[in-house]
Amino acid sequence: MCGMSQQPPERSTGSPRPRLDASMSLLTNVMDHSLDAGYAEAAARREAEGRAGAPRSLRAKLALAGALVLAAVIVTLGAAEARVSAPVVAKEREELIDRIGDETDAADSLESQVEKLRADVGERQRKALQEHGGDQGQLVALLSGATAVRGPGVKLVVDDAEDSSAGGGGPRESSGFSDTGRVRDRDMQRVVNGLWESGAEAIAINGQRLTALSAIRAAGDAILVDNRPLVPPYTVLAVGDGKKLAAAFRDSADGMYLDALRENFDIRTSLSDQSSVRLPAAPSLTVRSAEPKAAGAGSGAAETEKDAS
């Protein structure tokens, strides 16, 4: 056994063992041939035609850089222009503010002059009433509202119902009002006429003095006295013999009308005599005087009216 020579083992006649990198043939191919033949051919053709340029990414970067430079230039120019024009704009603004201030002062001055002239006209009208009223000068001034009044009288407060949509029959059943619990202008007209008829010498509603030419009207739901809006409750002050005036008003048709409004529509009212009430003068007056016609123009008994205001 020892003399026998050793022979190498016989190799297997089967298929040879695969290479270790055989499974990476695709990756190896990509690494060895990174540029496809078609791309290589196109690149060579562009280079041959003289149209070979910078890579697309480089062109995009150059375009972005150019856009940024252009934006910076525009912003810089805008800021420079704003700095140049800022003093001009500020000056124009100051001039406009000064003009507004001057015009406001002028308007205030004119308004003050109007108020003074209005007060002067009112004073002249009051003096005219007193001077040309003869022995009844004070009475004329009183009835026309030319002077403030103080004396005994009555206080009548009329207010809407708590539920102003209260319904019912009575004096408004055919009036067509949808909100019958509210005090209307015609209600206040009847109240004022009833007080005049009962012997009132002067009347004011919410501090607004009434004259022979005063008008009580409505604008929507608001009540106007001589075009001045009033809000409820409506406080009516009347100068006269307090107890007699209150009793006469309660017994009058207008007083009964007010009672019907209270009973049917829950309109709130209260009437009391006062030992002293004060009524202001009317804010504006229209004074008229009568003069005979000139000789030869007709009968001396004929008179014409002219507006002294």
Side-chain angles (χ1 to χ4, degrees):
M1 295 296 292
C2 296
M4 296 178 63
S5 61
Q6 295 182 355
Q7 297 182 356
E10 297 182 356
R11 294 182 179 180
S12 175
T13 58
S15 60
R17 296 177 61 183
R19 296 176 56 183
L20 294 177
D21 60 348
S23 61
M24 303 173 62
S25 60
L26 178 60
L27 180 59
T28 303
N29 184 48
V30 171
M31 293 297 295
D32 294 339
H33 304 86
S34 59
L35 185 63
D36 186 81
Y39 286 104
E41 182 181 355
R45 186 171 57 253
R46 285 197 302 270
E47 185 176 1
E49 295 175 356
R51 294 187 291 110
R56 182 176 300 177
S57 59
L58 180 58
R59 291 199 301 270
K61 292 180 180 179
L62 292 176
L64 178 60
L68 292 176
V69 171
L70 180 60
V73 171
I74 293 174
V75 171
T76 303
L77 292 177
E81 184 177 357
R83 285 196 299 270
V84 171
S85 60
V88 177
V89 174
K91 183 178 180 181
E92 292 178 351
R93 181 175 181 274
E94 292 296 331
E95 291 178 352
L96 182 59
I97 293 174
D98 293 339
R99 287 181 57 189
I100 293 174
D102 294 340
E103 295 298 331
T104 301
D105 294 340
D108 293 341
S109 177
L110 291 174
E111 185 176 357
S112 177
Q113 293 179 22
V114 168
E115 291 297 330
K116 290 180 180 179
L117 292 174
R118 183 179 289 117
D120 183 61
V121 170
E123 185 63 26
R124 290 174 183 271
Q125 289 176 342
R126 293 180 179 87
K127 289 182 179 180
L129 285 172
Q130 294 175 356
E131 292 175 0
H132 299 285
D135 296 338
Q136 302 297 321
Q138 294 294 332
L139 179 59
V140 171
L142 170 65
L143 297 178
S144 65
T147 59
V149 180
R150 176 178 295 177
V154 297
K155 178 181 179 180
L156 173 61
V157 180
V158 184
D159 197 2
D160 297 337
E162 291 186 3
D163 179 9
S164 59
S165 60
R172 297 192 190 192
E173 58 186 358
S174 61
S175 62
F177 289 130
S178 60
D179 192 1
T180 53
R182 296 180 67 91
V183 180
R184 303 293 175 177
D185 56 329
R186 74 172 189 173
D187 302 333
M188 298 308 300
Q189 290 172 2
R190 295 202 61 167
V191 166
V192 170
N193 289 335
L195 289 172
W196 285 124
E197 185 179 357
S198 300
E201 300 176 2
I203 299 176
I205 303 178
N206 286 11
Q208 181 70 26
R209 180 73 175 274
L210 302 182
T211 69
L213 301 176
S214 294
I216 301 176
R217 295 288 184 266
D221 290 332
I223 295 179
L224 308 181
V225 175
D226 293 336
N227 295 322
R228 294 173 181 259
L230 304 181
V231 295
Y234 306 102
T235 301
V236 183
L237 298 178
V239 174
D241 189 331
K243 293 183 178 180
K244 291 183 179 179
L245 181 57
F249 178 76
R250 288 192 183 98
D251 295 337
S252 67
D254 298 310
M256 295 178 182
Y257 172 84
L258 195 60
D259 288 338
L261 294 182
R262 182 178 63 252
E263 293 175 359
N264 292 282
F265 305 104
D266 296 329
I267 288 180
R268 293 169 287 178
T269 66
S270 64
L271 177 64
S272 61
D273 60 280
Q274 304 288 317
S275 59
S276 178
V277 295
R278 186 182 184 282
L279 279 60
S284 61
L285 296 173
T286 301
V287 180
R288 294 181 173 89
S289 61
E291 294 181 356
K293 289 184 178 180
S299 173
E303 298 176 346
T304 59
E305 285 188 348
K306 73 174 183 178
D307 190 350
S309 61

